[in-house]
Amino acid sequence: MRSSWLKKQSFIIGHKPPLSWLILCLISILALIAVLSSSSSSNTDDSASRTAESLIYTNYRRIKEQAAADYLELRSVSSGGARQKEVGLCGKERENFVPCHNVSANLISGFKDGEEFDRHCEVYKVSERCLVRPPKEYKTPLRWPSGRDVIWSANVKITKDQFLSSGSMTKRLMLLEENQIAFHSQDGFIFNSVKDYARQLAEMIGLGSDIELPQAGIRNILDINCGFGSFGAHLLSLKIMVVCIAAYEATGSQVQLSLERGLPAMIGNFISRQLPYPSLSYDIIHCAQCGIVWDENDGLFLLEVDRVLKPGGYFVLTSPTRRPQGSSKEKKRIMSNTIEGFTQQLCWTLVAQQDETFVWQKTTDVGCYASRKQRTIQLCEGEDTQSYYRPLVPCIRVQPEEFYEDLQHWRSAVNNYWSLLTPLIFSDHPKRLGDEDPFPPYNMVRNVMDMNANFGGLNAALLEEKKSVWVMNVVSSTASNALLPLILDRGFSGVMHDWCEPFPTYPRTYDLLHADGLLSHLSSERCSTIDLFLEMDRILRPEGWVIISDTMKAIEMARMVATQVRWEARVIDLQNGSDQRLLVCQKPFLKK
């Protein structure tokens, strides 16, 4: 028994032991050393055998030997550490809890005119530490690609009555059964299908079809108020990363539904603060019936679009369904005139308009800003600092041409180290009792978050392994300005975030969380490790995975916290002689 290894021997001695007793102790110690020396020389083979048996293998099934787990448990007990109490379960009212997006608290704090739906972490206070449980009827999502087109209705916060009473929603969704919602490709705005809409956009910027978009340098798109993600789902099949952003919604959330389908999405909006993306992030900013009045607030929202749009990039605007009375030509004139003055100040060119869709292109000529006839919108002064939910600013941010010069250097720096993890999750996975093994390409994992993405190496490795996943690459809000632009320039999804705060997404929206060096980085911050793990548990789907790479000291601490949030945890020794260890955890399905 392990406990017998830890029994302590106690000796009662006087203040000054006699000399004869000390001599006897010395003789005993010398004799013991001699015995141990002789036995070690005669049992070299046995010792080597025992050492080999105690190695921690990277194969998941051999990890079950728990050599590392036993070691950490002994270290914890021998150092006097007591087993931490498990965190309790939250009540039903927090099933869809999103921290920092409490509309009632925001209203009490004085936020209005739409700002009450914005992100206000300064108002959010941690009142109770608990694990957010799934709804009673929650089911494990269908694996990709089946889960893209059919989801369980109980997994998202929408009731049957809400579903049936929502006019525009029912045109895009088809209720197959009592407990399922199906999506189809005929939900393409004012067009017959999403494919027709994507083809028209490609033609409007001078391409033959949407298949040519990647060849034209279109690699990532920001889709504002994306509906339920069908536009992004289509373009993802063409290897184009489309990220949906939408404001927090209490029910029928676009972000929650998109993520449930395995499509990139996060909570974000154009109200009062900058988006958590650096300047020059996206090739296309897309708004189809997104409900934003772009000429309000002196064009401040268009300035934010300009900030995150790359030079030469496109702003695509498909107008709302409710249009002014009059002919089609009159409608187009009214639509273009409302923001024409702002686009001229931004040095945008209207390259095409067809039906109710308008496409502007941002200039690549820095000299255009100085040659403007009117300068009602001034250029920003000072350096471009990190745009982490800063207030919107009424000026144009111009980047120097050398902004991209060092990107080629960093592309060669990304390695495929994390590709060794793919057999753990995608091939050598443990199946649930009563379930058949999933057949390729029905992956166990679809939504992946790299919590400390660095250069996006995990994303690159997974793509090279041809895994059908997408990765939300999270870069620290205090990191170098070049990190996230590098990730986005490669066509990956990325966002800035401070892990001392909750992440802007709904519960149960990721299959795999990966963190390399994050715990060591946060050890000097104001963050609480238990709060970080509770946030990870909130956004992780039941039966989802967590992979943490860090120093042995950080992993020891992390494993103890993992037991508090009821994760099944195993430690992996990389066997490369370093102090680095992996902690592989799986979140259980806590049913009510």
Side-chain angles (χ1 to χ4, degrees):
M1 297 294 292
R2 290 193 298 267
S3 59
S4 63
W5 299 358
L6 302 173
K7 289 182 178 178
K8 297 181 179 179
Q9 300 294 331
S10 59
F11 297 93
I12 303 176
I13 58 178
H15 295 286
K16 187 176 181 181
L19 180 61
S20 59
W21 189 89
L22 293 175
I23 294 174
L24 179 61
C25 288
L26 179 60
I27 294 174
S28 300
I29 292 172
L30 292 174
L32 179 61
I33 292 174
V35 172
L36 291 176
S37 299
S38 61
S39 63
S40 62
S41 61
S42 63
N43 295 325
T44 303
D45 294 339
D46 292 341
S47 175
S49 176
R50 286 192 299 271
T51 302
E53 291 175 358
S54 65
L55 289 176
I56 307 167
Y57 295 92
T58 56
N59 183 284
Y60 181 82
R61 305 200 186 286
R62 294 185 181 180
I63 296 171
K64 290 184 177 180
E65 296 175 1
Q66 294 191 357
D70 291 343
Y71 170 73
L72 288 177
E73 184 176 345
L74 289 172
R75 285 287 303 271
S76 175
V77 176
S78 63
S79 63
R83 180 178 177 85
Q84 299 293 322
K85 184 179 179 181
E86 289 184 341
V87 177
L89 304 178
C90 300
K92 179 178 175 60
E93 71 282 356
R94 301 187 74 173
E95 286 178 354
N96 292 279
F97 175 61
V98 181
C100 301
H101 288 85
N102 188 324
V103 177
S104 300
N106 293 342
L107 287 171
I108 295 174
S109 299
F111 295 103
K112 57 182 180 179
D113 299 328
E115 289 192 39
E116 64 270 22
F117 296 98
D118 213 337
R119 178 181 183 274
H120 297 286
C121 288
E122 67 276 12
V123 176
Y124 169 66
K125 295 181 180 179
V126 181
S127 57
E128 178 186 9
R129 286 175 172 168
C130 59
L131 299 174
V132 177
R133 290 183 293 178
K136 184 177 181 180
E137 303 300 325
Y138 181 89
K139 295 183 179 181
T140 301
L142 300 175
R143 300 307 180 187
W144 183 269
S146 296
R148 174 190 57 202
D149 302 319
V150 179
I151 66 173
W152 304 110
S153 56
N155 288 11
V156 294
K157 192 177 180 182
I158 179 172
T159 65
K160 182 179 178 180
D161 292 339
Q162 291 168 339
F163 174 81
L164 295 174
S165 63
S166 54
S168 61
M169 188 182 297
T170 52
K171 295 177 183 177
R172 300 174 179 174
L173 300 177
M174 178 176 62
L175 191 63
L176 293 181
E177 297 177 0
E178 285 293 320
N179 57 355
Q180 287 185 337
I181 300 175
F183 301 82
H184 52 84
S185 60
Q186 304 302 315
D187 57 354
F189 319 109
I190 57 177
F191 296 82
N192 292 328
S193 72
V194 172
K195 293 182 180 179
D196 291 341
Y197 179 71
R199 175 186 50 76
Q200 176 175 314
L201 290 185
E203 293 174 351
M204 292 177 72
I205 62 177
L207 303 177
S209 70
D210 52 354
I211 299 177
E212 299 179 11
L213 286 170
Q215 303 171 19
I218 306 301
R219 308 193 65 180
N220 54 10
I221 297 176
L222 186 66
D223 194 5
I224 305 168
N225 292 348
C226 62
F228 307 115
S230 293
F231 179 61
H234 170 64
L235 292 183
L236 278 173
S237 67
L238 304 179
K239 310 300 182 184
I240 299 174
M241 176 59 64
V242 181
V243 179
C244 166
I245 62 165
Y248 169 76
E249 300 168 272
T251 59
S253 165
Q254 302 169 73
V255 170
Q256 190 181 35
L257 285 166
S258 296
L259 286 165
E260 189 68 19
R261 299 181 64 188
L263 305 173
M266 63 175 288
I267 299 174
N269 52 32
F270 286 79
I271 295 180
S272 61
R273 302 186 184 188
Q274 293 181 350
L275 298 171
Y277 309 117
S279 300
L280 315 182
S281 293
Y282 288 95
D283 300 306
I284 291 179
I285 309 294
H286 176 254
C287 163
Q289 304 177 14
C290 65
I292 297 177
V293 183
W294 293 103
D295 57 340
E296 285 187 350
N297 295 335
D298 297 323
L300 202 58
F301 302 151
L302 285 172
L303 288 172
E304 177 63 0
V305 170
D306 182 82
R307 185 185 69 82
V308 298
L309 190 62
K310 292 179 181 178
Y314 300 94
F315 176 55
V316 178
L317 175 61
T318 297
S319 61
T321 333
R322 296 178 62 183
R323 306 298 307 136
Q325 297 294 324
S327 65
S328 176
K329 188 175 294 186
E330 177 70 11
K331 293 177 183 179
K332 292 179 182 178
R333 186 189 64 79
I334 294 175
M335 184 63 201
S336 61
N337 285 348
T338 54
I339 59 176
E340 181 180 1
F342 294 112
T343 57
Q344 290 177 352
Q345 287 294 301
L346 295 172
C347 284
W348 291 1
T349 302
L350 181 63
V351 295
Q353 64 180 67
Q354 185 174 337
D355 299 323
E356 296 188 345
T357 299
F358 300 78
V359 179
W360 286 271
Q361 185 175 28
K362 179 178 177 178
T363 184
T364 57
D365 180 15
V366 178
C368 173
Y369 300 104
S371 62
R372 292 174 298 167
K373 294 181 180 180
Q374 294 182 345
R375 300 184 185 179
T376 55
I377 303 178
Q378 302 299 318
L379 300 182
C380 300
E381 297 181 358
E383 297 182 0
D384 183 19
T385 56
Q386 288 288 24
S387 304
Y388 186 65
Y389 299 107
R390 296 173 59 213
L392 294 173
V393 291
C395 61
I396 302 173
R397 176 65 61 186
V398 180
Q399 293 290 339
E401 295 180 359
E402 58 267 21
F403 179 81
Y404 296 107
E405 287 183 358
D406 67 336
L407 293 186
Q408 291 295 334
H409 166 73
W410 291 115
R411 284 194 180 101
S412 62
V414 177
N415 60 57
N416 297 328
Y417 169 72
W418 286 108
S419 63
L420 68 88
L421 292 178
T422 54
L424 263 173
I425 304 303
F426 296 94
S427 300
D428 195 25
H429 62 81
K431 68 176 184 179
R432 297 186 300 277
L433 294 177
D435 285 0
E436 297 294 332
D437 285 325
F439 295 101
Y442 293 88
N443 289 328
M444 296 288 291
V445 171
R446 172 62 183 171
N447 299 353
V448 178
M449 176 183 287
D450 195 354
M451 300 174 66
N452 194 29
N454 201 24
F455 303 117
L458 174 67
N459 199 157
L462 290 174
L463 292 180
E464 290 178 4
E465 292 293 323
K466 301 188 185 306
K467 302 303 180 184
S468 297
V469 303
W470 71 273
V471 180
M472 177 62 78
N473 295 281
V474 182
V475 173
S476 170
S477 59
T478 59
S480 166
N481 281 345
L483 282 181
L484 190 51
L486 169 62
I487 290 172
L488 295 169
D489 187 64
R490 302 172 70 193
F492 299 164
S493 169
V495 65
M496 291 183 294
H497 184 64
D498 179 358
W499 279 114
C500 295
E501 301 173 353
F503 189 81
T505 191
Y506 293 84
R508 303 172 298 279
T509 45
Y510 285 89
D511 301 302
L512 170 64
L513 304 179
H514 169 260
D516 180 16
L518 180 64
L519 298 181
S520 294
H521 171 71
L522 295 180
S523 61
S524 59
E525 303 289 336
R526 65 186 186 278
C527 311
S528 164
T529 304
I530 183 63
D531 288 338
L532 174 65
F533 274 54
L534 286 172
E535 175 63 5
M536 294 167 66
D537 185 86
R538 184 185 71 86
I539 66 179
L540 188 65
R541 286 173 173 169
E543 298 183 338
W545 295 84
V546 176
I547 299 177
I548 300 174
S549 172
D550 222 301
T551 63
M552 187 62 185
K553 180 179 178 181
I555 292 299
E556 287 185 38
M557 177 270 297
R559 183 179 178 274
M560 289 187 288
V561 179
T563 61
Q564 288 185 261
V565 294
R566 311 186 186 199
W567 294 347
E568 299 174 2
R570 297 290 181 269
V571 177
I572 302 177
D573 187 344
L574 298 177
Q575 300 185 22
N576 57 6
S578 72
D579 187 41
Q580 292 295 114
R581 298 291 187 272
L582 297 184
L583 181 66
V584 180
C585 309
Q586 188 175 30
K587 174 182 175 178
F589 197 147
L590 297 177
K591 296 185 178 181
K592 296 185 177 180

